[in-house]
Every structure is written in structure tokens, then in C-alpha cells.
Amino acid sequence: MADENNNQYYTPPQDNQYYPPQQPQEQKASVGLAILSYIIPLVGLILFITNKDKKPKTAKACGICALVSFIINIVLTIILTVGTGALFSKAVDESLGDISYSDEYELDASADENSSNTSDSIVGDYGCVVKEAKLCKDYAGKDAVLITYEFTNNSSNAISFDVALSDSVYQDGVGLETAILDEDTDLLDVEIKPGVTKDVKKAYVLRDTSTPLEVEISELFSFSNDKIVTNVNIK
């Protein structure tokens, strides 16, 4: 190529190739986003999904922090739930510790001769006798009766009183609600081996302290109408 004075000079060839801009490489993970992911695990999950291709280091850090936070929150929730339940149980036990029994009344438990079962102490594979009935107070100070059952497991498997038998107590034909007492209501849900006899206790809220009680015991799961009926007179 020549200029106006006809001097020759070299012109380098033009490079017409196009090079796309290079994406900048991620140097390190974002500490701020990692902390945010730990505080709010859901945000960490979103950051992991949206940045795993563009910013893999940040995405990985956010995902790990979110997962760790999620696991820690579950563990803390379980610990708090168990601890709260234990404290509540302890508070209930302490509040029930002041329950006292009344000696003002005497109860006489006697079997009803008109029991619909051929034996007044056997129903199905289980034996049950009203051994004692004692007046007391429930946790709210209401009149209640604490009945001691002599429970015998004649079946071939270990079973508890509450699973084997259904108990109902009536005053003047009206059923009584179960009363909440302290440790005296024991062994109701404890399994008893075959051939073993144990005393179990259960309390009921009384409607009054003069009307006689009618206690009915039957098998919890049975097509039979057999039941043990025991009259308890309050003297």
C-alpha cells in the first residue's frame, strides 16, 4: 500500500475473528450468603439451586449451612419437647403430692349375686375381683373413690389390665369419669405375665358420697356379654 508520495509501507492483516468475553472465575464463596443460609435454611436452599452453575463455591457453602441449620433445629426441637414434657410431668407430680385420703367414710365391697357370668370373678381369660374401695380426693379436690382390683392373667400372653379388660363404675345408673391421682393408680398399663396375679388401682370421680357404686368388668375385645358385677356400698 502506498501514500500520496508513493511510499510503500506494510499494513498488517486485519483479524476479523470474534472472541466471546470470558466469564470471570469465582474466587471464593460469599460469607454473607452462607451466614444468611444458616439463619434461614430455606434461603440457603434457594441460593444453592440458583447458583450451583454460576457460583458453585457459594452454592455449596449455602447448601451446607442450610443443611446444618436444619439438622440442628430438629435436634433442638426434640430436646425442648422432651425437656418441656419432663418439667410438666414433674410439676403435675408435685401438685398431686398434696392429695390426702379421707377416713370419714367406710366402703364395703361385696360381689353381686346376680352377675351374668357363671363365676363372679372370671371373665374370659382373666380374673378380676374388687379387693378394696377407698374414698379420696382427686387433683382438683373433688370426691373420688380409689378401687383396687385383683387382676389375674389366665391367658397365654402377657397383657395389661387396661388392654385386657373394660371397667365401668356407676352411681344411680350414671357412669363415673376416671379421676386423676398420683402414683396410687398404678400397674394399669403394665403387662402381667400369664398365671400372675397383681393388684391394680384406678380412681373415679364420685357424684356423691352416699349412693352405692356398681362396678362392671368385661373383656375389652370380646363378642361375649359376660361381665363381672360388684356392688360397693358406702357406709
Side-chain angles (χ1 to χ4, degrees):
M1 183 175 182
D3 58 9
E4 58 184 6
N5 296 323
N6 203 26
N7 295 321
Q8 299 293 326
Y9 61 90
Y10 175 76
T11 303
Q14 299 294 322
D15 188 358
N16 294 324
Q17 294 183 357
Y18 172 74
Y19 295 97
Q22 296 296 322
Q23 185 176 2
Q25 296 296 319
E26 184 184 18
Q27 299 297 321
K28 60 181 180 179
S30 173
V31 177
L33 292 179
I35 295 175
L36 179 62
S37 300
Y38 180 83
I39 297 174
I40 309 177
L42 180 59
V43 173
L45 176 62
I46 295 174
L47 290 173
F48 172 77
I49 295 174
T50 56
N51 290 286
K52 62 181 180 179
D53 295 326
K54 297 183 296 182
K55 298 180 179 181
K57 293 182 179 180
T58 297
K60 182 178 179 181
C62 292
I64 293 175
C65 289
L67 179 62
V68 171
S69 177
F70 179 74
I71 294 174
I72 291 176
N73 286 332
I74 290 179
V75 173
L76 290 177
T77 300
I78 294 174
I79 293 175
L80 289 175
T81 301
V82 173
T84 302
L87 290 176
F88 177 77
S89 177
K90 181 179 179 180
V92 172
D93 290 342
E94 290 178 352
S95 65
L96 294 177
D98 296 332
I99 297 176
S100 59
Y101 297 97
S102 172
D103 296 329
E104 182 178 353
Y105 304 98
E106 179 184 357
L107 279 72
D108 174 43
S110 58
D112 185 0
E113 295 180 356
N114 296 322
S115 171
S116 60
N117 198 302
T118 55
S119 171
D120 59 6
S121 63
I122 300 294
V123 58
D125 292 329
Y126 313 102
C128 186
V129 176
V130 176
K131 189 175 180 179
E132 182 184 23
K134 183 168 59 174
L135 285 170
C136 59
K137 299 287 185 180
D138 71 355
Y139 78 99
K142 295 180 180 179
D143 289 322
V145 59
L146 179 63
I147 296 180
T148 301
Y149 297 105
E150 187 179 78
F151 172 59
T152 302
N153 180 13
N154 295 320
S155 69
S156 58
N157 299 310
I159 196 169
S160 65
F161 176 88
D162 271 351
V163 175
L165 300 175
S166 172
D167 57 290
S168 300
V169 180
Y170 300 89
Q171 270 191 311
D172 199 20
V174 180
L176 302 183
E177 297 179 354
T178 301
I180 300 177
L181 300 182
D182 56 5
E183 68 276 1
D184 283 326
T185 55
D186 57 2
L187 296 182
L188 291 173
D189 56 354
V190 176
E191 289 189 347
I192 298 174
K193 286 188 174 182
V196 175
T197 299
K198 287 290 182 181
D199 288 349
V200 298
K201 299 180 180 181
K202 193 168 185 178
Y204 309 85
V205 179
L206 290 172
R207 302 177 66 85
D208 60 71
T209 57
S210 60
T211 304
L213 308 178
E214 185 179 59
V215 182
E216 292 186 0
I217 301 294
S218 59
E219 283 190 280
L220 184 59
F221 301 105
S222 175
F223 294 104
S224 172
N225 293 324
D226 290 348
K227 59 185 175 181
I228 303 168
V229 180
T230 305
N231 291 330
V232 178
N233 298 313
I234 301 178
K235 293 182 179 181

